[in-house]
Amino acid sequence: MADLQAAADARGPEAWIAAFGRFVPGPHRTADEVGSEVVAHLDTLVRGALQRHVFPLMARGRLPVRATPIENVNERRADIAVPVLALTGGGDAEDNIRSTRELLDLLPRSREVVIPRAGHYPNLEDAESFNSALAEFLRTC
């Protein structure tokens, strides 16, 4: 995250794209282990998002708004009355997995499905398992 913020502060799109790219394999794999099609897809996705959303703001002399953390999650959890499904990759970073489980522990109608061979993008890395888990959740909730 520090690399992403430093690249954003320096307004260096290629540095930001490179920092973002390190999220793709996660901390336990290399990009080669993920698969070239997933890496290429996410590179295209992030370049398109910058082109459509960030560069036009910068051309008008404005900077994108930094992400705002969600506050008061513990207090607001009682407002969540719908079932919640978290589809996580078994190879994602430990802090992402931990924060997901901490939130799910607070939600009585929640469950997690771990897609073992995926990282932060299980929908792209193992679409069949992701879609199957989502379909099962929708059938049962």
Side-chain angles (χ1 to χ4, degrees):
M1 291 304 290
D3 288 349
L4 275 174
Q5 192 57 58
D9 291 344
R11 296 177 185 84
E14 289 303 320
W16 194 88
I17 291 166
F20 175 85
R22 289 193 286 281
F23 279 99
V24 175
H28 309 291
R29 304 177 296 170
T30 66
D32 291 337
E33 293 172 285
V34 174
S36 60
E37 69 285 348
V38 171
V39 173
H41 180 74
L42 286 164
D43 184 78
T44 300
L45 180 134
V46 73
R47 287 177 187 281
L50 288 172
Q51 192 71 33
R52 282 187 302 281
H53 304 291
V54 176
F55 296 157
L57 286 174
M58 293 175 76
R60 294 192 308 265
R62 296 180 55 211
L63 295 178
V65 176
R66 289 184 186 214
T68 303
I70 299 171
E71 296 181 359
N72 304 321
V73 172
N74 288 341
E75 294 82 12
R76 295 171 58 199
R77 76 181 191 280
D79 296 336
I80 300 174
V82 297
V84 174
L85 172 66
L87 289 161
T88 58
D92 201 356
E94 286 80 11
D95 59 338
N96 291 334
I97 293 169
R98 183 185 64 253
S99 64
T100 297
R101 290 181 180 156
E102 287 172 359
L103 179 59
L104 292 177
D105 285 345
L106 301 173
L107 301 172
R109 297 182 67 199
S110 67
R111 67 180 120 155
E112 177 186 29
V113 173
V114 177
I115 303 194
R117 296 173 308 279
H120 194 66
Y121 302 97
N123 58 316
L124 298 176
E125 291 187 61
D126 189 349
E128 185 176 326
S129 295
F130 182 94
N131 291 338
S132 176
L134 180 56
E136 175 63 23
F137 174 75
L138 293 172
R139 271 194 298 277
T140 61
C141 67

